[in-house]
Amino acid sequence: MDKQFYGYFTTGEFANLFRIKKQTLFHYDEIGLFSPEVRKENGYRYYSHTQFELFQVISLFKEVGVPLKEIKFLLNDKTSDNIITLFKGKSIEIGEKIKKLEHLKTIMETKVKLAEQAIEADLSSVSIQYLEEERIMITPNLLGLSEWPYITVISDLIHYVQSHELNLGHPVSGMLAKEQILEKDFYNYQHLFFKIPNNVENLDYHVKPKGLYAVGYQKGNEVEAAYDRIIQFIEKSGLKIGEYAYEEYILDEVMVDGMANQITKIQLQVLRELD
């Protein structure tokens, strides 16, 4: 290197520092976004260490999805006040994006947890478990509703959950009342529901109560066989059916193709004979 440019970086050296292609620097120079500090008559380009921070800011903007044209516009005619205002605004935008990404991460983690639970479950098993209470958002009673009110009620629930950012990744699920179970009406939910965070406040949520539940599984459309298996287990255990069954689709159409491959976890409230 020419002694005059000792301490400067060639295009290749600068590109290696930031692990990018030289073509990226050529393109940035071509569009007037980021140019070498020194350009010799023979075409050689040299970058200074004082340009590191500017290049890092450009790279960060690019990583969070700001188009190159907008970055160039933002960085033109810089003043300290303008840059402070710019960074404050972009910091808020990035914070919102981080929040959305964290929310998406939570949803994906929940989907993975439910799928792993389904894969590991013995689908023929039934067990009595003590479950803690959970907060859920439910629809009004759906039984007897005609098509349009039925669709409206469900749409309202989904919109409410989404607008309040309550979706944890649990799919919309269903509730069957005791009377429906006894009458083998397994195909018309009394309520649909979403599980929501247990730390929410000031919302009109419903509580899935703590207590004993008979927990079993349904694969595909085998709903009658699943409930027969669960009810027989309850009777053999000297228990009786409680108020509701809560059905949760732990392996749904997000994870598998076709209804036949989907798995539903059924949690049916049970009571001791003396209760």
Side-chain angles (χ1 to χ4, degrees):
M1 177 186 291
D2 190 327
K3 292 183 179 180
Q4 179 183 356
F5 296 103
Y6 181 80
Y8 283 80
F9 303 88
T10 65
T11 302
E13 291 169 341
F14 196 88
N16 286 335
L17 285 173
F18 290 94
R19 298 183 179 179
I20 60 171
K21 296 179 179 179
K22 290 195 297 183
Q23 286 74 14
T24 299
L25 292 174
F26 294 150
H27 179 59
Y28 286 2
D29 185 22
E30 182 180 345
I31 65 175
L33 174 62
F34 182 78
S35 298
E37 185 170 302
V38 177
R39 192 192 315 268
K40 294 186 69 177
E41 292 180 0
N42 60 6
Y44 279 42
R45 305 156 185 248
Y46 294 97
Y47 297 85
S48 166
H49 69 277
T50 62
Q51 295 181 282
F52 288 177
E53 290 300 321
L54 177 57
F55 187 80
Q56 286 179 329
V57 168
I58 291 171
S59 299
L60 287 172
F61 278 153
K62 187 170 180 290
E63 282 184 25
V64 298
V66 182
L68 295 181
K69 288 183 179 179
E70 184 178 344
I71 297 173
K72 179 181 176 182
F73 175 78
L74 293 173
L75 296 179
N76 278 344
D77 301 320
K78 295 189 296 292
T79 67
S80 294
D81 288 343
N82 288 341
I83 293 299
I84 288 172
T85 301
L86 165 65
F87 279 14
K88 284 182 177 180
K90 287 300 173 184
S91 178
I92 293 172
E93 287 183 26
I94 291 168
E96 289 298 318
K97 289 184 178 181
I98 290 172
K99 184 178 178 181
K100 290 179 180 179
L101 288 172
E102 288 290 348
H103 188 202
L104 179 59
K105 179 173 178 284
T106 297
I107 290 174
M108 294 173 68
E109 288 174 344
T110 299
K111 292 291 185 188
V112 168
K113 182 178 179 181
L114 290 175
E116 289 176 342
Q117 183 184 143
I119 292 168
E120 295 171 1
D122 177 359
L123 301 184
S124 64
S125 70
V126 181
S127 61
I128 302 299
Q129 300 179 23
Y130 181 87
L131 303 178
E132 297 294 340
E133 74 175 31
E134 294 179 307
R135 296 181 182 184
I136 58 177
M137 299 299 302
I138 69 172
T139 62
N141 193 331
L142 297 171
L143 298 178
L145 290 182
S146 57
E147 182 179 5
W148 182 246
Y150 181 87
I151 293 173
T152 300
V153 164
I154 296 173
S155 176
D156 288 345
L157 173 66
I158 293 173
H159 176 73
Y160 188 88
V161 169
Q162 290 179 338
S163 63
H164 287 79
E165 298 183 343
L166 299 174
N167 181 11
L168 295 176
H170 295 278
V172 61
S173 303
M175 294 169 58
L176 293 174
K178 175 182 178 181
E179 294 76 16
Q180 294 177 274
I181 297 168
L182 296 176
E183 294 173 4
K184 296 186 180 295
D185 177 16
F186 303 122
Y187 303 97
N188 298 291
Y189 291 123
Q190 187 174 96
H191 303 279
L192 294 180
F193 72 91
F194 277 102
K195 287 186 179 182
I196 63 172
N198 281 328
N199 60 352
V200 298
E201 301 293 343
N202 303 318
L203 293 178
D204 187 18
Y205 57 81
H206 178 82
V207 174
K208 174 176 170 282
K210 63 183 178 182
L212 293 177
Y213 289 80
V215 180
Y217 300 90
Q218 168 195 335
K219 184 171 183 180
N221 291 315
E222 301 170 359
V223 57
E224 293 186 22
Y227 272 96
D228 284 345
R229 186 166 59 248
I230 293 170
I231 291 171
Q232 288 177 21
F233 185 87
I234 291 172
E235 292 173 347
K236 288 180 181 179
S237 301
L239 301 168
K240 59 183 181 180
I241 296 174
E243 186 178 3
Y244 283 105
Y246 297 83
E247 297 186 4
E248 183 178 4
Y249 308 108
I250 58 175
L251 200 63
D252 60 12
E253 60 186 12
V254 173
M255 292 292 186
V256 293
D257 289 326
M259 179 65 188
N261 296 311
Q262 296 180 29
I263 295 174
T264 304
K265 183 177 182 180
I266 301 171
Q267 300 167 85
L268 174 53
Q269 288 178 291
V270 294
L271 302 170
R272 296 183 178 89
E273 288 292 346
L274 297 178
D275 291 341

